Amino acid sequence: MTHKEFIKRGRRYARKNGLDFILDTKGGKGSHVKLRIGSRRTVVKYGEIGPDILASMLKQLNINRREFYR
């Protein structure tokens, strides 16, 4: 999954669940951005996101993988 697809799915998830979605492009360092969904936060790197990193990011955001892919 690419960072663009992750952000797009995150925005859709937040909208469906009535949560705030904040993407902070100034807060990350280098090729990273900060993402907040509701009260939970994670850092998203640009480029391809591997399955282990994806699982970790979803855990930080407290999002079930099945709900994220709907």
Side-chain angles (χ1 to χ4, degrees):
M1 169 179 294
T2 65
H3 71 282
K4 289 181 182 181
E5 186 177 350
F6 183 85
I7 292 168
K8 181 179 174 182
R9 288 181 184 273
R11 184 175 284 126
R12 185 180 314 140
Y13 175 85
R15 191 177 326 120
K16 279 184 179 180
N17 293 291
L19 300 170
D20 291 333
F21 177 89
I22 298 172
L23 184 64
D24 182 8
T25 58
K26 305 278 184 195
K29 290 197 171 199
S31 61
H32 295 73
V33 294
K34 291 182 182 179
L35 173 66
R36 194 182 88 180
I37 297 178
S39 63
R40 308 295 297 241
R41 294 180 284 177
T42 192
V43 176
V44 181
K45 73 173 188 116
Y46 288 155
E48 193 67 28
I49 300 171
D52 294 339
I53 301 295
L54 176 62
S56 177
M57 291 166 57
L58 291 175
K59 185 176 180 179
Q60 290 171 358
L61 293 170
N62 197 29
I63 297 175
N64 184 317
R65 179 173 261 183
R66 288 185 186 143
E67 290 180 33
F68 190 69
Y69 282 104
R70 284 188 194 167

